[in-house]
Amino acid sequence: MTTNSKTNGFDENETSPQEVGSNDPISSALKQVYDEVANEPLPDKLNSLLEQLRNGDKK
Amino acid sequence: MSLEDDLIAQTNNLRAFARSLVHDQTRADDLVQETILKGWSNLSSFKEGTNMRAWLFTILRNTFYSEIRKHRREVEDIDGRYAAQVPDKPTQHGILDLRDFNEAFATLPADQREALTLVGASGFSYEEAAAVCGCAIGTVKSRVNRARARLVELLDDDTGSNDRSEGELLAALGSGGDAGRK
């Protein structure tokens, strides 16, 4: 198992650092690249996996 | 929402984070698949009410670095395949050319790419990013600052050699903070 227990206990609503603004070109490009991938349709392989998990096949 | 649903809902974010680490799309999706399976089989160790995304990102990151240790040459993007996959988009006022950006981003060390992605794109606080990376908050800040300075430097150089008539990139970079400017 490779989880990090320190991850637990964070406030999910904590805001992002102010220093990394959203208005400068680097931040904008970074978010655009990230969002493009995050908004892509999932590939068949992952859809199939998620479907199996939802159906309880792998639990 | 059940924990299972919460985990599944993070798949798209996991893909975006994975692609910042592993530029090859197939490998990135393999990493996501492995992360989901590990998360799913270890859901009982997740503390309800805490940050599922941070928990999964930590699993993904640890899996990524385990792969690097095993197959360093295969995981690193030594041939620039990631940059080649990025669609070319025209430069607009105040917006970086995404191909230029990705080419520059791909040259950053993995620890800087992940810090910048976590803080600058995934919406994590420095504290959360530090926990995901297993390092001090100051280390994350340092990596983010170095990454941004290096990107400015690379994109500044690129603009100079590209002879863009508008000079927009230089102006745009100037508006976003001068860290690392020459």
Side-chain angles (χ1 to χ4, degrees):
Chain A
M1 180 59 193
T2 55
T3 56
N4 182 342
S5 61
K6 286 189 291 184
T7 311
N8 294 334
F10 282 123
D11 177 2
E12 292 193 44
N13 297 318
E14 189 169 350
T15 55
S16 300
Q18 292 297 317
E19 294 93 320
V20 184
S22 59
N23 295 324
D24 71 277
I26 288 177
S27 293
S28 296
L30 189 64
K31 286 177 181 171
Q32 189 174 346
V33 169
Y34 183 93
D35 289 343
E36 280 184 7
V37 177
N39 291 322
E40 284 177 359
L42 292 180
D44 291 343
K45 181 174 72 173
L46 287 178
N47 272 325
S48 174
L49 171 67
L50 298 182
E51 190 60 31
Q52 287 179 327
L53 293 175
R54 286 191 190 98
N55 293 333
D57 294 350
K58 297 212 171 185
K59 193 164 186 183
Chain B
M1 182 184 279
S2 69
L3 286 181
E4 288 82 0
D5 290 339
D6 194 8
L7 186 153
I8 287 172
Q10 297 300 328
T11 304
N12 290 72
N13 280 316
L14 285 170
R15 287 190 82 223
F17 182 46
R19 289 273 280 282
S20 73
L21 295 173
V22 183
H23 305 319
D24 179 83
Q25 187 172 334
T26 302
R27 287 185 182 280
D29 285 338
D30 288 345
L31 189 56
V32 171
Q33 179 170 310
E34 194 171 344
T35 300
I36 290 171
L37 287 171
K38 284 181 180 176
W40 192 272
S41 60
N42 290 282
L43 262 182
S44 59
S45 67
F46 175 76
K47 192 187 293 182
E48 257 189 278
T50 60
N51 193 330
M52 173 68 79
R53 186 152 55 107
W55 185 68
L56 290 170
F57 274 36
T58 304
I59 296 174
L60 188 147
R61 179 189 182 275
N62 289 344
T63 304
F64 165 70
Y65 281 107
S66 293
E67 282 191 14
I68 279 192
R69 283 191 289 272
K70 289 176 188 169
H71 310 290
R72 186 172 193 90
R73 288 183 182 179
E74 295 176 42
V75 175
E76 290 288 330
D77 184 43
I78 56 175
D79 54 5
R81 281 172 294 176
Y82 177 55
Q85 290 173 4
V86 176
D88 202 3
K89 295 194 174 180
T91 304
Q92 300 169 36
H93 287 281
I95 299 175
L96 297 180
D97 182 296
L98 286 188
R99 179 179 289 270
D100 290 344
F101 175 80
N102 278 290
E103 285 176 351
F105 186 78
T107 67
L108 298 176
D111 60 353
Q112 293 181 21
R113 292 200 307 270
E114 69 178 1
L116 195 55
T117 300
L118 289 170
V119 169
S122 300
F124 284 104
S125 67
Y126 281 122
E127 186 180 13
E128 289 171 320
V132 170
C133 297
C135 65
I137 295 172
T139 303
V140 173
K141 288 182 178 178
S142 172
R143 287 172 182 170
V144 168
N145 288 336
R146 276 185 280 137
R148 291 176 62 84
R150 182 60 181 151
L151 286 174
V152 169
E153 185 179 283
L154 288 169
L155 293 166
D156 195 352
D157 286 348
D158 184 60
T159 301
S161 62
N162 226 8
D163 194 26
R164 282 192 190 127
S165 57
E166 305 90 346
E168 291 168 354
L169 181 56
L170 279 173
L173 289 171
S175 72
D178 288 333
R181 291 294 302 276
K182 293 172 184 172

